[in-house]
Amino acid sequence: MKMTITEVKFRRFINEGKLRAVVSLTFDGSFAVHDIKIVQGEERLFVAMPSRRDDNGVFRDIVHPIDSELRNEIEGEILSAYRMELDRQSAEQQDLS
C-alpha cells in the first residue's frame, strides 16, 4: 500500500544560515510527519528528515523513506511546494509595492 502526500505545510521560513524552511507533510490526510527541513547544500537544495541526537552526539533520522523512489518523490513534492510558496510571497510583495 502506497501512501500519497496530501498536504505540504510550511511551519517557518529561515533566511540565515543553510536552513531555508521547516515543513510538515501529511500522507493520505491521516498521517503527519513534522520537522522536515529544507537545507541549502553546496550545489542544491535538499530535504532532511526529522532527526535527534543520540547518546554519542550523532544525529539519527527519526523517520525516513526506505527506498530512493519514495525519497525522491517526497523531496520533489516539498521542493516544488517551496518554490511555489517563494514565488507566491514574491508576487505578494510586488503587489504591496
Side-chain angles (χ1 to χ4, degrees), residues 2-97:
K2 183 175 178 184
M3 296 178 78
T4 302
I5 298 168
T6 53
E7 182 179 27
V8 178
K9 182 183 268 186
F10 293 94
R11 298 294 183 187
R12 64 187 150 120
F13 288 87
I14 297 99
N15 294 321
E16 296 178 16
K18 294 181 180 187
L19 184 61
R20 295 291 177 251
V22 178
V23 179
S24 292
L25 281 186
T26 304
F27 293 88
D28 293 337
S30 61
F31 183 79
V33 179
H34 302 291
D35 295 332
I36 299 169
K37 295 171 185 69
I38 298 175
V39 180
Q40 179 63 58
E42 288 187 27
E43 297 180 18
R44 66 179 187 88
L45 288 171
F46 66 92
V47 171
M49 290 291 127
S51 61
R52 66 177 175 168
R53 192 184 316 245
D54 68 12
D55 293 338
N56 297 321
V58 176
F59 282 95
R60 303 226 182 256
D61 286 351
I62 297 169
V63 297
H64 59 88
I66 299 299
D67 60 47
S68 60
E69 180 182 344
L70 181 57
R71 177 174 291 280
N72 291 337
E73 181 182 335
I74 288 171
E75 185 168 81
E77 287 277 337
I78 290 172
L79 294 180
S80 175
Y82 176 71
R83 289 181 183 107
M84 286 179 12
E85 180 62 18
L86 289 181
D87 289 347
R88 186 194 67 75
Q89 288 178 8
S90 178
E92 194 174 271
Q93 285 183 342
Q94 287 178 356
D95 288 344
L96 294 175
S97 3

